[in-house]
Amino acid sequence: MTRRTTRRAACGAAMLVLALLPVAADAADRLVVTWHPARPRVGDVGWLHLRGASDAAVIEGSVGNRPLTFFPYAGGHAALVGLDIETKPGVHAWRLAVLEPGIDPQPLSGKVTIVPRKFSEQRLTVPRGMVDLDPETEQRAVAEGRRLQMLYRTISPERLWRGPFVRPVAGTEPPSGFGARRIINGKPRAPHGGADYAVPRGTPVVAANAGRVALVGDFFFPGRMVAVDHGLGLYTLYFHLDTVAVGEGDRVERGQPLGTVGATGRSTGPHLHFGAQLGSARVDPAALLTLRLAD
Ligand SMILES: [Zn+2]
């Protein structure tokens, strides 16, 4: 098989055209992959658009060692890409396989440059009991962390979200602190995986998009929390709630109340910690709010 690769830019997005000869005739001989944005940053959630494959095609793919989950989109296929908060900036390889009935699998591959991003440093002082945990509390926090990790790796097969993601609290003030390298009581800790909205206790918290309530918990660090499963490995998280208005298994619409802002768990005061996970990748929820897909 000979394969020719050309690169050109269109609409501000890098476009990679692969002409595949002579495996597939007609429609399948021209597969086009577009990255949005063309040069994603560490912590971004972007998306890949594949055109030229038939509706019946099954697409498998990965960026680095993270798998992609494709869905039908605008007469083609698309997949969200989450670039974890601790992704190494630089050139990363991606690969796809287009599986069409009756045709040999068509491999596609390329490279994407992930742009570095400067994260702030946060120095926090919290009560010692919230950092130097007694063994029993430590065990509890570890078990809760594992439960969340297991949840994030659970990929529901149906895409439940549509259209834009909305702020989980009213107002215009941007959230802060995503990716902050944290020094808590003088000791470096894991980077801050979400973004915080400093709003008063009792402020209504709404679902950023349609989904299903996957978990309602009262955990040591997150406090009272809700996780919404948007399908295909995407979750949004709402931590430190004062009250919760939904139950596990509930279907929620974009903008539907989930509860109210509080200061439960490890929190220096009332605020909403808003998080987004794409599989195991911790991504910037603010990037989710700027995601624009046509359907
Ligand atoms: Zn937070």
Side-chain angles (χ1 to χ4, degrees), residues 53-59 77 98-101:
S54 79
D55 288 355
V58 172
I59 320 297
H77 303 262
V98 180
L99 312 169
E100 307 220 34

Side-chain angles (χ1 to χ4, degrees), residues 199-286:
V199 286
R201 185 190 306 274
T203 303
V205 173
V206 302
N209 208 316
R212 190 181 52 83
V213 176
L215 181 71
V216 174
D218 194 350
F219 286 178
F220 184 74
F221 288 124
R224 224 161 269 139
M225 60 150 294
V226 172
V228 175
D229 178 4
H230 301 287
L232 308 181
L234 177 66
Y235 291 83
T236 52
L237 311 162
Y238 311 81
F239 288 178
H240 312 306
L241 300 177
D242 192 42
T243 61
V244 172
V246 288
E248 287 179 5
D250 289 358
R251 284 293 291 257
V252 291
E253 295 303 322
R254 179 197 304 120
Q256 184 175 327
L258 301 174
T260 56
V261 170
T264 55
R266 185 169 72 189
S267 171
T268 52
H271 73 283
L272 175 70
H273 172 108
F274 179 42
Q277 288 275 155
L278 198 62
S280 58
R282 301 154 292 177
V283 295
D284 188 351

